[in-house]
Amino acid sequence: MASHIRHALVLVLSVVLLTVTANTPVHIMSKYQLITSTTLNWLPHSHYRTSHEIVIGGFEVVKEVSASTKTPIFVCRALHNGIWVTGGLKEGEKRCLVTSLSIVRSYEKYDLLENTESAARVSWVDWDKYKDIPVGAVAPSGSESYFVARHLAEGENEDSLTQTHYIGTLNTKDGLGKITYIKSDGTDGSAERGQVLVETEPIRYELNSVKLNANKIREKKRIPKVLGTATIRNTGSEAGTLAEVFTYTYNYSQYWGQGHAILKGLNTSITLQNKTKLPDIVWGISEQKIRDEAYTVKYLLEPGTAVNVTLVANYTDMETSYMGNLVAVYEDQTTKDRRISGFRQEETMRDVRPEFSPVFFLYNNSLVPTTVPPPTTTTTTTTRAPEPILITKEIPLINEETVDENMITPPRKSDGSRMQNDDGGPLSLKNKIEGGNNSSGQSFVPSLLTITLSFLMAFIRIT
């Protein structure tokens, strides 16, 4: 019983697999051997929809009194006597008509030659038995002996002409090569000249008017990084803006995806919608390299003061959807363009920014007050050392440059930072704060003692 159930399941599965046949890649002739086409596809007839673009091999001509109409004849293939051969399918009909070995037959089960997303550049190239098979010739299977071909419907007088071309198969091993086809009367024919279907591949791509979707940025990973630390000191006698340059290295990668019906490995230029031109890439290949970058931090300091700065960032792995116009450029400089969409993946260092500690004095590491304390009146004639000059005003922030949401590589800021005074930054200066508190306490005690002694001496004189 179990054995019968297993056999039944295998049979059902086999039927399902035969019913849901996957699309089959098309092979084309390179300079040396057959290769897989990126833009052509053998589409099972059961998968056909009117939205698919099927390669046309000829037309059926219907002559009327006032005018004539042309019905497309599509390129199809069928397994005939164990060999894949090509023939024609008239629009509106449901059977592919092929011939081989002088045997003509029509098939209900067949494949149609699809031009995926209209991306392929196909043409019919003249051939005769003295010529080599042209580069890009389309084969009905993985054999280098058979190719999609057609023959001009000549010999019929103009009044009786019902087809422009007869679609068939070129067999390179039949003598010096022969095209077999079916004539309009349903009989088979052959010729030693005709035309071969050829796909011409582009030599490069241009991806233009790229629009990145800022609302669909997905961060896969975000790792906080410390890129460097330093202390900026003003050891001069005047206030001034001092700079510190940080250099750092990280692993960078970007990938624009493969997309449908796009040839992998071609050099591709990329221009954003805002006319920003990005470095060229190799399409379908993930770009990975080590980047060395520099970041300049500037800070306005009064003499005798300093500030600690830490350069931090987030190492981010993110994905962004995009749309753009893909232009295929061919060797004869003709172009073919279409609208595409995809996802751009990038691993890079983002949110690079400096973080500052409170500003402190160099001579004792005490914190610099953000405002000047009011002067203290005293009757003593003791000369005190002058206090260091303090920053008494807020230093305005440098205006942020407006960054376009599609600017993948925004212009680097010239100074690389914001100019700030003591803002109570996140870096710890516990030892300096404690030192500053002690210093402040020591300066307060002598002032109180001086006032008290002055008051006692005045009282003694009065009494």
Side-chain angles (χ1 to χ4, degrees), residues 5 24 60 67 69 97 131 195 201 265 287 329 333 357 394 421 431 445:
I5 294 176
T24 305
E60 181 185 53
T69 60
L97 194 63
K131 293 181 180 179
Q195 292 179 322
E201 294 186 332
E287 176 191 1
V329 182
Q333 297 308 305
S357 73
E394 294 290 336
N421 71 338
N431 58 333
V445 173

Side-chain angles (χ1 to χ4, degrees), residues 178-246:
K178 185 179 293 185
I179 299 174
T180 57
Y181 51 85
I182 302 174
K183 294 186 289 187
S184 56
D185 60 2
T187 61
D188 72 299
S190 64
E192 295 180 338
R193 61 184 175 88
Q195 292 179 322
V196 176
L197 183 63
V198 170
E199 178 192 1
T200 304
E201 294 186 332
I203 58 174
R204 61 184 177 89
Y205 289 125
E206 296 175 358
L207 184 59
N208 300 327
S209 302
V210 178
K211 171 70 175 178
L212 295 171
N213 192 337
N215 297 324
K216 291 187 178 181
I217 297 178
R218 184 170 69 92
E219 289 190 356
K220 300 179 180 179
K221 178 175 60 178
R222 176 190 282 245
I223 304 175
K225 295 286 185 180
V226 174
L227 304 179
T229 59
T231 300
I232 302 177
R233 299 177 176 85
N234 187 352
T235 57
S237 59
E238 297 181 357
T241 300
L242 293 94
E244 182 73 27
V245 179
F246 292 87

Side-chain angles (χ1 to χ4, degrees), residues 127 145-147 169-180:
W127 171 88
S145 300
Y146 299 93
F147 295 92
T169 307
L170 167 61
N171 183 356
T172 60
K173 292 186 177 181
D174 187 353
L176 294 177
K178 185 179 293 185
I179 299 174
T180 57

